[in-house]
Amino acid sequence: MARIVITGGAGFLGSHLTDRLLDRGDEVICVDNLVTGRRANIAHLGEHPGFTFVEQDVSEHLDVAGAVEAVLHFASPASPPAYLGLPIATLKVGSLGTHNALGLALAKGARFMVASTSEVYGDPLVHPQTEDYWGNVNPIGPRSCYDEAKRFSEAITMAYHRHHGLPVRIVRIFNTYGPRMRPDDGRVVSNFLVQALAGDPITIYGDGSQTRSFCYVDDEVRGFVALLDSDLVGPCNIGNPTEFTIAELAELVVEITGSSSEVVHRPLPQDDPTQRRPDITQARDRLGWEPTVELREGLARTAEYFRDHA
Ligand code: UDP
């Protein structure tokens, strides 16, 4: 049992991680400014004796009274439309927010984990992506507010580890989907499911030949906990290595929802990565982790959520 601070705990991933830690008996203090996180994601925890919610921007300040055993920094806008709309807040939470979260961990003698991203690989020239690949990021492009903030967050995390001896974990999160994604999140899985369920056109950006590898949220969060509990600093890729084109995803969504939606094409956003797939050898070998939920099954569960929360 531990007392754990999760920044971004009302977000998509943060709220699932919160549930998992509470289930195993940990106490969770969730800090979130609700800029993209939602009260609805934590509403079911209102009466839980181990749960506390603090509404606060972790880029400004982060302090928690009493003992803390772990600080998990998951706060950040994470979908491209969200971070493109909030570029400065995204840079601040990846830099100042990470600094504040590290400071709290250091002051409490706590373990620290940071949510990094496959975006640190940019538009990758190495495929699949191994953790030792340094990436291909445009430092001044529109996506740089997210990519470079996360790269900075990894750098300052390693500086605290080397300079202060802080125990740290860096998780590189690949495309994840599941219940509690915002319907207006703008990422491909939520867009396609919401469009298909409404009978609206399914919007493929570009020709749909770009690839992603989609991990169901329960698998992803199990990976976070395995990394947190391990002695591996990382960075560690956590994602599903089964790769799909976006056109294949659209077909699967139409099939699963039984939708009559047509597919339409829209311009490809600038610097959109052409391919992405994690090499998860390290997670398999060091954590004994691998995903178990296939895309078809995970999409069906997520479609159910969007049906109920239309
Ligand atoms: N995409 C798409 N239609 C949409 C939303 C996204 O074709 O309605 C594409 C997007 O251009 C990208 C891929 O789907 O190639 C994944 O996009 P997403 O925003 O989910 O996340 P990313 O992996 O780019 O961060």
Side-chain angles (χ1 to χ4, degrees), residues 237-258:
N237 291 340
I238 297 288
N240 191 314
T242 311
E243 185 177 4
F244 293 84
T245 67
I246 295 306
E248 287 169 340
L249 177 72
E251 269 176 41
L252 198 54
V253 165
V254 166
E255 185 196 318
I256 284 166
T257 54

Side-chain angles (χ1 to χ4, degrees), residues 78-81 83 117-119 143 146-147 174-176 181 185-192 195 202-206 208-214 246-247 249 264 266-269 271-274 276:
S79 86
Y83 62 67
T117 168
S118 56
E119 283 281 328
R143 293 173 91 102
Y146 186 67
D147 301 8
F174 284 65
N175 296 65
T176 305
M181 293 187 93
D185 175 271
R187 273 178 280 200
V188 69
V189 171
S190 43
N191 272 10
F192 284 6
Q195 290 161 347
I202 293 184
T203 54
I204 292 184
Y205 301 161
S209 63
Q210 71 272 33
T211 67
R212 295 293 187 273
S213 307
F214 301 100
I246 295 306
L249 177 72
V264 296
R266 299 277 178 262
L268 190 66
D271 295 339
D272 197 283
T274 51
R276 182 179 294 153

Side-chain angles (χ1 to χ4, degrees), residues 288-305:
W289 175 87
E290 63 181 356
T292 61
V293 181
E294 289 190 0
L295 184 58
R296 177 178 294 274
E297 167 63 23
L299 285 177
R301 291 187 207 170
T302 311
E304 203 57 41
Y305 172 81

